[in-house]
Amino acid sequence: MKKLFLLVLALLMLCSCGDGETSMELLPLEMSLKSASESTVVVSVKNLGENRLEIIDGASLYKTENKEEKCVGDIRFCDYKLEYAVLPGQEAEWVFDVEKLFGKLPNGEYRMIFGGFDYEVGYNGNWWKEIEFVI
């Protein structure tokens, strides 16, 4: 069942409409990289909407090698009992223990894609956000 969920999550992330991140109208959340190391990624987030936003579905991590992107892994935050939320009009820092979630990361270029949940509206699996970083 877990593998099926991860497959569906990955497909939803890959099949998202558009050629960039989800529109601000659908997901009024700004995410930017604050810092990254082999063991920790810190993301600054700002909720520009009127509802509490919660990212609990999961994340996929990709590494670029020889100009090709390879999946490092997919995780579900609820499996780790992690919750990442931000209140309307608020800013927060989300710290991801990537060593615990994916293993220690070697030097390279990475892209981390997040799926989530709008607490007031309910599940909408068609949105995602991503950050890129270099270690």
Side-chain angles (χ1 to χ4, degrees):
M1 184 69 176
K2 182 178 176 181
K3 288 181 181 180
L4 177 62
F5 174 81
L6 291 174
L7 176 63
V8 170
L9 177 64
L11 288 174
L12 287 172
M13 288 180 176
L14 291 173
C15 295
S16 296
C17 296
D19 49 333
E21 290 189 28
T22 304
S23 76
M24 281 301 212
E25 184 177 314
L26 182 59
L27 182 63
L29 181 70
E30 287 181 351
M31 294 181 82
S32 60
L33 179 68
K34 186 156 186 181
S35 66
S37 72
E38 62 188 8
S39 59
T40 306
V41 172
V42 180
V43 177
S44 177
V45 295
K46 184 175 183 179
N47 184 344
L48 303 173
E50 298 177 4
N51 298 317
R52 177 178 184 260
L53 293 172
E54 190 173 325
I55 300 213
I56 60 168
D57 286 357
S60 297
L61 182 66
Y62 297 89
K63 183 177 185 201
T64 301
E65 294 179 342
N66 301 321
K67 299 183 181 181
E68 287 187 36
E69 215 173 50
K70 297 185 179 183
C71 185
V72 174
D74 299 300
I75 56 103
R76 288 180 3 153
F77 295 137
C78 60
D79 290 343
Y80 293 87
K81 299 188 179 4
L82 300 175
E83 179 184 299
Y84 295 97
V86 61
L87 297 173
Q90 300 290 312
E91 293 183 48
E93 274 187 12
W94 291 347
V95 178
F96 298 96
D97 184 344
V98 291
E99 186 171 0
K100 178 180 177 180
L101 300 173
F102 301 104
K104 191 177 279 190
L105 302 180
N107 291 342
E109 297 177 33
Y110 293 89
R111 183 167 66 106
M112 196 168 178
I113 302 173
F114 303 89
F117 188 80
D118 182 324
Y119 185 75
E120 299 294 325
V121 176
Y123 178 75
N124 181 343
N126 293 321
W127 64 262
W128 55 278
K129 288 286 185 182
E130 68 178 50
I131 58 165
E132 294 180 352
F133 57 95
V134 177
I135 297 176

